[in-house]
Amino acid sequence: VLQAKQKDAPTGRYEIRVSELRAATEKDRTLQEARQLHRESERLGSTGKYEQARSLAERALEIREKELGPLH
């Protein structure tokens, strides 16, 4: 199910197109690792394992800052 971010957006049909198909780069793989770490940190936090969650969240942030810059 797709939902518009704006509450007043008109309903209609939407189409998603793949505009480019390419092999994952090292940067893609590194950012995917950061996403996985972030998801796992959220899961751990929701189960009360805050120290483990924080450690993973900090690692995910380090990766993102290294790849995308500190202001991203």
Side-chain angles (χ1 to χ4, degrees):
V1 174
L2 293 175
Q3 293 180 330
K5 288 185 178 182
Q6 299 84 14
K7 291 182 180 184
D8 299 332
T11 58
R13 297 181 60 158
Y14 297 90
E15 183 176 299
I16 298 173
R17 294 183 190 195
V18 175
S19 61
E20 176 184 3
L21 192 59
R22 61 176 173 75
T25 64
E26 186 61 34
K27 183 175 183 174
D28 293 333
R29 288 191 271 292
T30 302
L31 290 172
Q32 178 60 23
E33 177 187 358
R35 285 188 289 273
Q36 290 170 331
L37 289 168
H38 183 259
R39 279 193 300 270
E40 181 64 11
S41 75
E42 288 181 328
R43 188 190 68 75
L44 288 169
S46 71
T47 62
K49 298 177 181 177
Y50 303 116
E51 286 302 315
Q52 290 173 309
R54 181 178 177 171
S55 176
L56 292 181
E58 288 174 346
R59 177 67 184 129
L61 181 60
E62 287 172 10
I63 291 170
R64 287 185 56 82
E65 286 181 341
K66 180 181 176 191
E67 293 297 324
L68 302 172
L71 300 179
H72 191 306

